[in-house]
Amino acid sequence: MDGEDSSEVMSEVHVGCPPHSSGPHISRFTISLPPGTIKSCWLLLVAQLTASFFLVILILIYLEVEPSRYNELFEAEAAASVREVLTLDDDGDLVLPRRSKQSTRCFNVTIQHNITSLIPSVGLQVWKAELVLADFVMHKMCTSSDFNGIISLELGAGTGLAGILLSRVAWTVFLTDHGNYILDNCAKNVQLNSGVFSHQGSVHVRDLNWMNPWPPIFSLGNSSASQERYSWNSSELKEVQRASVLLAADVIYSDDLTDALFHTLKRLMPLGSKKVLYLALEKRYNFSLNDLDVVANGYSHFRSYIMEEGEHRRFERESFPAFVGKCIDLNEFPQYVREYDRGNDVELWQIKRSENES
């Protein structure tokens, strides 16, 4: 195990970054409307300008979106110019000029991260599952008001990308991880992206060690300055119980940590508001001498904690999974984070507490 902990690893996301860089690196992730959505929003604008009520309704049904939400989340760089160039011909028909540049709506998120790290510090890197979770969060924010005004807790937040995006509409976001280097880096990213946040919302970076029992010990004012900065206070511990959305990305890679994660969830999820966890993971395959095959052992251990919705396996009462999950089809939501390949080994799970769990 010590040998594994001393191994240096690099996320596939960082391929192309400056090689042999050991310190923090700044990347800017562009978040934009997917191309198909941009085209549909153009059609929607035309429908609105031509007062075609039925066309507006048909496009909205097709998109399943709320146009006002796009306006809130994205800067419409071309929208004003579009309105200026729309004219009518002599018969009163709308003239649509050919555009030399495609309309885009986008903003950047600045993330400080390491390009490589030791395994205990993988939270200093950006991983593919985190980008998939960011896509999902953006799609929920653009197509519904489900995340408006919520309290959210991200477990193993790492660089904090998904939670920072969620802070655009959430009331409070708790970004949690363990270890001062990771927490300092996450706090730096919160600072770098302060303009992203909702004006009425708040973002807290807090220490949460899954190996310790829930609730975490709150600050009594006698800790060191670094510990004090990321300590919980009593009002925050009360507020986090009201969290309705939990997030986690790329936290399934060690069986011990998986056990600790689900032990924490067993204590946390029954408290306060009803909670749902959205967990993105990447299957990692290794050759197993026991199986004499290439297997994803970490994934199998994760699945042992969850009964999939609609699954009818027989379980002994004492071993009945405490959680029910549904694997979300990644084709259900488009890619908002530019220039990365989702691949075939990333999954996104919606996980709830089992009704059989007392």
Side-chain angles (χ1 to χ4, degrees):
M1 187 69 178
D2 291 339
E4 292 181 3
D5 285 354
S6 62
S7 300
E8 198 161 87
V9 295
M10 183 179 78
S11 167
E12 183 182 329
V13 174
H14 302 152
V15 173
C17 290
H20 313 299
S21 175
S22 57
H25 179 79
I26 296 290
S27 292
R28 289 175 176 82
F29 292 88
T30 300
I31 314 297
S32 64
L33 289 179
T37 310
I38 294 173
K39 181 178 180 180
S40 298
C41 288
W42 172 270
L43 292 174
L44 182 60
L45 175 60
V46 171
Q48 291 172 327
L49 290 173
T50 56
S52 178
F53 174 78
F54 292 106
L55 183 55
V56 170
I57 296 301
L58 286 174
I59 294 172
L60 288 179
I61 293 173
Y62 172 74
L63 288 175
E64 296 182 340
V65 302
E66 300 175 36
S68 61
R69 303 200 56 71
Y70 285 114
N71 294 331
E72 293 170 7
L73 295 169
F74 292 90
E75 292 181 1
E77 298 176 357
S81 61
V82 166
R83 287 185 173 86
E84 290 174 2
V85 300
L86 290 181
T87 58
L88 300 178
D89 63 16
D90 294 338
D91 297 323
D93 297 322
L94 190 65
V95 176
L96 294 179
R98 186 179 299 275
R99 290 170 294 159
S100 59
K101 183 178 178 181
Q102 186 179 19
S103 298
T104 58
R105 298 187 179 195
C106 63
F107 63 90
N108 291 324
V109 178
T110 303
I111 296 295
Q112 175 178 281
H113 62 89
N114 280 18
I115 296 173
T116 63
S117 69
L118 300 179
I119 291 177
S121 301
V122 291
L124 292 172
Q125 299 190 54
V126 179
W127 298 89
K128 189 182 295 186
E130 186 175 5
L131 301 182
V132 170
L133 182 61
D135 283 338
F136 176 76
V137 167
M138 283 303 308
H139 193 61
K140 290 285 284 186
M141 291 194 301
C142 285
T143 60
S144 77
S145 57
D146 292 351
F147 288 171
N148 278 23
I150 64 167
I151 298 171
S152 177
L153 169 69
E154 184 170 5
L155 299 154
T159 62
L161 174 59
I164 286 171
L165 289 173
L166 180 58
S167 69
R168 292 177 75 90
V169 298
W171 180 259
T172 305
V173 175
F174 291 96
L175 302 175
T176 68
D177 215 308
H178 183 58
N180 283 341
Y181 286 122
I182 296 174
L183 293 169
D184 285 345
N185 189 69
C186 188
K188 177 65 175 179
N189 287 329
V190 170
Q191 177 189 347
L192 288 172
N193 295 282
S194 58
V196 169
F197 308 145
S198 163
H199 292 297
Q200 71 268 22
S202 57
V203 180
H204 305 289
V205 177
R206 293 293 176 262
D207 181 84
L208 183 58
N209 185 353
W210 305 338
M211 296 296 184
N212 294 336
W214 180 273
I217 298 173
F218 62 84
S219 172
L220 297 175
N222 55 0
S223 305
S224 67
S226 60
Q227 290 175 322
E228 191 74 23
R229 184 180 182 189
Y230 304 119
S231 295
W232 298 78
N233 60 45
S234 57
S235 63
E236 290 171 352
L237 288 175
K238 290 179 181 177
E239 183 178 22
V240 79
Q241 291 187 23
R242 307 203 320 270
S244 57
V245 173
L246 311 181
L247 301 176
D250 222 316
V251 295
I252 306 300
Y253 55 89
S254 158
D255 288 355
D256 290 341
L257 283 177
T258 299
D259 292 338
L261 169 64
F262 279 98
H263 182 73
T264 298
L265 290 172
K266 284 181 182 179
R267 297 292 302 273
L268 173 63
M269 291 190 84
L271 302 175
S273 302
K274 192 173 183 180
K275 297 171 174 51
V276 57
L277 166 66
Y278 294 104
L279 185 150
L281 60 89
E282 184 172 1
K283 296 180 185 178
R284 291 183 170 86
Y285 296 91
N286 296 287
F287 184 80
S288 167
L289 289 175
N290 292 332
D291 300 288
L292 294 179
D293 198 0
V294 176
V295 295
N297 282 328
Y299 178 76
S300 301
H301 191 66
F302 159 76
R303 287 288 284 111
S304 70
Y305 278 96
I306 299 170
M307 184 176 71
E308 196 163 359
E309 288 184 4
E311 194 174 9
H312 298 292
R313 288 184 289 165
R314 290 185 176 272
F315 294 93
E316 297 295 334
R317 179 60 188 91
E318 59 271 16
S319 65
F320 198 93
F323 302 95
V324 176
K326 178 179 73 171
C327 188
I328 298 172
D329 184 352
L330 301 190
N331 292 318
E332 291 182 2
F333 55 95
Q335 191 167 319
Y336 291 79
V337 183
R338 286 185 182 174
E339 298 177 355
Y340 86 97
D341 180 9
R342 286 181 177 176
N344 300 316
D345 296 322
V346 177
E347 291 185 354
L348 177 65
W349 284 80
Q350 174 187 280
I351 299 172
K352 299 178 181 179
R353 184 167 171 259
S354 170
E355 295 181 358
N356 295 282
E357 182 72 6
S358 58

